[in-house]
Amino acid sequence: MSLFDSAPLQPDQKRPLAERMRPERLEDFVGQEHILGPGKPLRRQIERDELTSIILWGPPGVGKTTLARLIARITSCEFIPFSAVLSGIKEIKAVMADAERLHRMGRRTILFIDEIHRFNKAQQDAFLPYVERGDIILIGATTENPSFEVIAALLSRSRVYALRGLTVPEIAALLRRALPVVGLDAPEELLEQIAIYANGDGRQAYNTLEAAGAASAGGVLSEQAVQDAINRKVLLYDKSGEEHFNLISALHKSVRSSDVDAALYWLTRMLEAGEDRLYIARRLIRMAIEDIGMADPRALEQSVAAMQAVHFLGIPEGDLALAQAAIYLCVAPKSDAAYRAMDRAHEDVEKTIAEPVPMNLRNAPTRDMKAWGYGAGYQHAHQFEDAIPDMECLPPSLAGRQYYFPTDRGLEKRIAERLEEIRKLKQKS
């Protein structure tokens, strides 16, 4: 049998679901918008039929093989899948001979090498003459950094495209598309659980759906079947319903009460149920502001850093950043003094007249404004000892009003001492 003859087809229902779900049009390919969206580099190469050798670098199950097959279909090239695990120099030479023959006949060949990083230097070198002569268009797929695993000569003749793990919504969309194929109905919550468990791997999601579907009765995907397929308990709750708010309330109150263990429990409940990680990060930031404040300003820094880590790392590594931030917030000294200060200021803004800004606090950018009294009486702090003038900065009707009353906990104890020192210096001057 020639290398270009197709293997006998299995009955469709016996083929793995991931294989049956491979799209036949680029428009049906899900994910990788950063390289395949309208006007993006790889999309332009494909649409203009200006393809060169490329390396597709990304985690498992993100569509590297599917994308290579689509490229071959769209550009009308012969497609030869080649496994770096199963093939050696002898197989490489046989394939190259056929590709060279086709090239002389005016037919282009895409050689797709899965796990190209498993080829040693000599094996990778064997492709070079054929790539240089244009006998083949090489598409290599790798889960490893090509800078370290692919020889420099091949890299210099190829363009590297980094593929990203699929998002939960993207995998859920793939699963919805697969439901009619496996003859199932499924609640959206279960599809999302499978998508979360798949951790960016579309093939893993298809395998889980197929296994859970086989164990479900009546053509409806069951919670128990999904739980058995992913080998863990499925925690379902409506993200817009009462349980959603109950859980975040429990987490917030545990942090406010400095109960580390309870906070970790409720946080884990939310993570396992598939809560949006950035939503949790936003709530942790709110806790840092509302319940810790100036008692430990680093709490806000830690919470923002956790949000950035979640966004950068994704699931599951980013979950550790959320746990770390929750622990920090629990053990930090607590104060709502800044929160209450804002409330007091807000109350005065609401209940008193909006007095004009005092002249001494206004800028005088023109000669006329200076003549009208703008800036008159302003005291520049750095011209005074300790950089503390005795100038009143509130409107006359609110002069002397205090809003912020720091606690004696954490850094606020030092802040309270400093405020008292400032007030005494103002009185003295």
Side-chain angles (χ1 to χ4, degrees), residues 29-94:
F29 188 88
V30 174
Q32 316 310 328
E33 288 294 315
H34 62 294
I35 58 172
L36 288 173
K40 297 299 182 180
L42 184 54
R43 181 68 169 262
R44 289 201 306 269
Q45 273 192 282
I46 297 169
E47 290 178 341
R48 297 174 183 175
D49 200 3
E50 298 173 348
L51 197 66
T52 58
S53 293
I54 62 175
I55 304 293
L56 300 176
W57 170 33
V62 297
K64 298 187 291 294
T65 302
T66 297
L67 183 55
R69 289 180 181 275
L70 281 174
I71 291 171
R73 177 188 292 270
I74 295 168
T75 56
S76 301
C77 293
E78 298 286 350
F79 182 79
I80 307 177
F82 204 69
S83 173
V85 178
L86 303 175
S87 308
I89 292 290
K90 180 180 177 181
E91 289 80 9
I92 292 173
K93 289 182 176 179

Side-chain angles (χ1 to χ4, degrees), residues 45 50-54 137-139 157-159 161:
Q45 273 192 282
E50 298 173 348
L51 197 66
T52 58
S53 293
I54 62 175
I137 297 170
L138 177 68
I139 300 182
R157 292 162 176 80
S158 309
R159 185 163 184 177
Y161 289 104

Side-chain angles (χ1 to χ4, degrees), residues 127-323:
F127 293 112
L128 278 176
Y130 304 96
V131 172
E132 288 177 336
R133 290 199 301 263
D135 291 337
I136 61 167
I137 297 170
L138 177 68
I139 300 182
T142 178
T143 56
E144 304 294 331
N145 190 327
S147 300
F148 304 124
E149 304 295 341
V150 179
I151 61 173
L154 267 184
L155 277 180
S156 68
R157 292 162 176 80
S158 309
R159 185 163 184 177
V160 177
Y161 289 104
L163 277 66
R164 301 169 181 166
L166 299 177
T167 65
V168 170
E170 286 169 347
I171 293 180
L174 291 175
L175 294 173
R176 280 193 293 273
R177 189 184 294 174
L179 289 177
V181 177
V182 293
L184 282 174
D185 289 324
E188 192 67 26
E189 296 86 351
L190 284 177
L191 296 183
E192 188 165 339
Q193 285 295 320
I194 295 174
I196 292 168
Y197 169 73
N199 193 27
D201 186 333
R203 187 185 302 107
Q204 176 69 43
Y206 282 137
N207 293 343
T208 303
L209 177 64
E210 197 166 22
S216 298
V220 178
L221 191 66
S222 73
E223 179 181 331
Q224 185 61 51
V226 173
Q227 182 173 315
D228 292 341
I230 66 178
N231 197 27
R232 74 176 188 189
K233 186 177 181 181
V234 176
L235 299 173
L236 299 179
Y237 77 115
D238 182 0
K239 291 184 185 179
S240 61
E242 181 184 353
E243 192 64 9
H244 162 80
F245 296 106
N246 288 343
L247 284 172
I248 194 61
S249 175
L251 174 61
H252 195 152
K253 289 178 171 63
S254 298
V255 168
R256 181 182 291 154
S257 302
S258 301
D259 192 328
V260 172
D261 302 302
L264 286 173
Y265 172 79
W266 296 118
L267 173 63
T268 304
R269 279 275 299 272
M270 298 182 76
L271 295 175
E272 289 295 303
E275 181 57 81
D276 179 4
R277 271 52 176 174
L278 288 178
Y279 170 77
I280 297 174
R282 287 194 295 271
R283 292 303 297 247
L284 290 174
I285 291 173
R286 176 183 169 181
M287 296 173 206
I289 297 168
E290 184 176 329
D291 295 300
I292 296 168
M294 295 303 294
D296 185 354
R298 291 171 300 179
L300 178 57
E301 298 172 9
Q302 291 291 319
S303 301
V304 172
M307 177 195 67
Q308 293 173 332
V310 166
H311 182 70
F312 182 69
L313 292 175
I315 300 170
E317 291 86 352
D319 292 353
L320 296 175
L322 294 175

Side-chain angles (χ1 to χ4, degrees), residues 348-370:
D348 271 354
V349 168
E350 287 289 313
K351 293 183 177 180
T352 62
I353 63 170
E355 293 188 64
V357 175
M359 284 295 191
N360 61 313
L361 297 182
R362 301 188 190 189
N363 283 333
T366 68
R367 183 181 302 174
D368 286 341
M369 293 174 76
K370 190 171 184 178

